[in-house]
Amino acid sequence: MSGPAVSGLTSSAGARGTSDPSSAGGKTPRQGPLTRAERANSTQSFHREALPGRVVFGPGSGRRDLASEVDGLGRRRVLLITTKRGEPLATELAAPLGERMVGVFTDVQEHVPQEIAEAARTAAHEARADCLLSIGGGSVVGTAKAVAAEERLPIVAVPTTYSGSEMTPTFGLTSAGMKVTARSLDALPHTVIYDPELTLTLPPGITAASGMNALAHCVGAAYLPGTDPITLMVAEEGVRALSGGLLRSVREPDDLEARTEALYGAYLAGTALAAVGPATHHRICHMLGGAYGLPHARTHSVVLPYVARLKDVELARVADALGTLKASDGLRELSEQLGCPTSLAELGLPAAELDKAAQLLSAQGILDLPTARELLHVAYDGEWTAWTPT
């Protein structure tokens, strides 16, 4: 699939003051492809798993192409999964399916509690569904994945946020205060329909947090040991598209070109995540969400820059894409400009739980205990300029 028209990647970086070398710490962002030496070094040897799936991208595609994509699967009994808030839009989009839509499940919750997944599976059984239609954000497609993984039903996903989860075979379930992730090709959506028009009404706060979640996928793909040169290029382009598109989408929510750019970046971010899996910051956010109920996307906006500061040496290409000397500084600046929370205290994590949270991170092998304690304490306070990892 060719990418959409995403003019303004360079100019949108300039819009936040990074086209001037003096505003980027004296560094001019690199433009253009890798040099021959860089390309040779990055492609000498690698392994990459290419996942199956179909992507339909473009303004209006949700209303124009949904029914024909279901027809292409030859399915006749579709269960719609969405939220109560999103149900009016979802039923409007699904209306062309007519009698093929045999049920609607709206009891979706963030972090997909085990009991909600079981209720969704029961709804699929009772409706005798042979296909799942997911219309909504990450929690919606996560619920659909939990059903598909057990029932082996194809998913047609229509994302309305920037989570990127629709491109991956990974999903998470929460039980007894712990979020556990699983990976199954049965959970990978068969078809994903990206319609930027469906994001025009997304509030600026959700746009910003969801976009930082997507950006986190790109950053993780850039520093995980298992990455490959194809995924690295996808991630780098995703950073450029998201950083420019999100700023413009937050400032002018009805700017369709900006929304298209941001959604294109989210697609690339999901593709990168699918190739390498969740990285350190993603696992931290899963733990904090499962144990303390912190909102997943907004937690990314806080945690991502701090973890990036631990990885700055490995994130040179992310820094280039952001137009900054250090990726961590660029991510923090972007989070602030988007109006995202910048401390765990803002998200409601009790200060008394910081040490216990650090022990959970250590016990799960995410960070060693001293690093976990240090990172959580500075992230709790939102301290940035004076923090240097020990």
Side-chain angles (χ1 to χ4, degrees):
M1 183 200 80
S2 59
V6 287
S7 60
L9 290 180
T10 302
S11 61
S12 60
R16 64 175 188 273
T18 56
S19 60
D20 179 357
S22 64
S23 68
K27 177 174 181 177
T28 302
R30 179 180 63 195
Q31 301 295 327
L34 296 176
T35 66
R36 180 177 297 179
E38 288 173 321
R39 191 162 53 246
N41 288 336
S42 67
T43 59
Q44 288 180 355
S45 178
F46 65 91
H47 297 270
R48 187 171 195 273
E49 179 184 1
L51 298 176
R54 174 175 169 80
V55 170
V56 178
F57 192 108
S61 57
R63 291 177 171 85
R64 182 182 61 245
D65 299 320
L66 193 153
S68 62
E69 291 300 322
V70 173
D71 287 342
L73 294 175
R75 303 296 169 138
R76 308 299 301 175
R77 301 186 65 83
V78 179
L79 175 68
L80 170 63
I81 299 178
T82 189
T83 61
K84 290 181 173 67
R85 182 177 179 180
E87 186 175 7
L89 172 62
T91 52
E92 175 199 338
L93 294 175
L97 296 176
E99 294 181 353
R100 286 172 290 176
M101 196 173 77
V102 296
V104 181
F105 182 84
T106 60
D107 292 332
V108 173
Q109 293 182 24
E110 191 169 23
H111 303 301
V112 193
Q114 182 70 47
E115 60 270 22
I116 294 298
E118 293 294 344
R121 291 176 190 134
T122 298
H125 274 292
E126 291 178 349
R128 293 185 290 118
D130 63 7
C131 181
L132 304 173
L133 173 58
S134 160
I135 301 179
S139 298
V140 172
V141 73
T143 303
K145 288 179 177 184
V147 177
E150 294 289 332
E151 307 300 328
R152 295 191 172 184
L153 299 178
I155 301 172
V156 176
V158 185
T160 58
T161 69
Y162 305 113
S163 80
S165 176
E166 63 281 346
M167 291 303 300
T168 80
T170 305
F171 61 101
L173 296 174
T174 302
S175 179
M178 180 173 292
K179 189 168 186 178
V180 178
T181 59
R183 180 181 172 93
S184 169
L185 285 179
D186 291 325
L188 180 68
H190 184 281
T191 304
V192 181
I193 301 174
Y194 286 105
D195 183 350
E197 291 181 358
L198 302 181
T199 66
L200 288 171
T201 58
L202 202 62
I206 298 177
T207 296
S210 179
M212 287 298 293
N213 184 11
L215 197 60
H217 305 330
C218 297
V219 174
Y223 72 71
L224 277 174
T227 196
D228 62 85
I230 308 303
T231 299
L232 192 54
M233 286 190 293
V234 168
E236 188 176 3
E237 172 70 358
V239 171
R240 288 196 175 93
L242 282 162
S243 59
L246 289 172
L247 280 170
R248 294 162 57 207
S249 295
V250 165
R251 292 166 180 166
E252 297 184 41
D254 59 351
D255 184 337
L256 183 58
E257 181 182 346
R259 293 291 190 173
T260 300
E261 185 176 7
L263 196 61
Y264 172 54
Y267 159 54
L268 296 176
T271 303
L273 176 63
V276 299
T280 301
H281 56 267
H282 206 131
R283 296 173 66 196
I284 293 172
C285 293
H286 273 173
M287 187 284 289
L288 292 173
Y292 302 105
L294 301 192
H296 184 69
R298 297 177 75 206
T299 306
H300 270 293
S301 72
V302 174
V303 171
L304 178 61
Y306 289 98
V307 175
R309 182 157 280 186
L310 300 175
K311 308 283 186 180
D312 266 326
V313 173
E314 301 153 87
L315 293 177
R317 289 178 64 168
V318 171
D320 281 339
L322 290 168
T324 55
L325 274 173
K326 293 182 178 180
S328 59
D329 289 331
L331 292 166
R332 175 69 173 217
E333 178 188 358
L334 178 61
S335 182
E336 291 174 348
Q337 290 181 332
L338 290 172
C340 292
T342 55
S343 73
L344 292 175
E346 291 178 72
L347 302 182
L349 179 67
E353 293 293 322
L354 288 175
D355 193 62
K356 179 182 176 182
Q359 291 177 35
L360 287 172
L361 291 176
S362 177
Q364 294 177 27
I366 300 173
L367 291 172
D368 62 73
L369 187 56
T371 301
R373 282 176 172 152
E374 179 182 354
L375 186 145
L376 288 177
H377 276 85
V378 293
Y380 180 83
D381 293 328
E383 175 59 48
W384 183 252
T385 55
W387 179 57
T388 300
T390 56

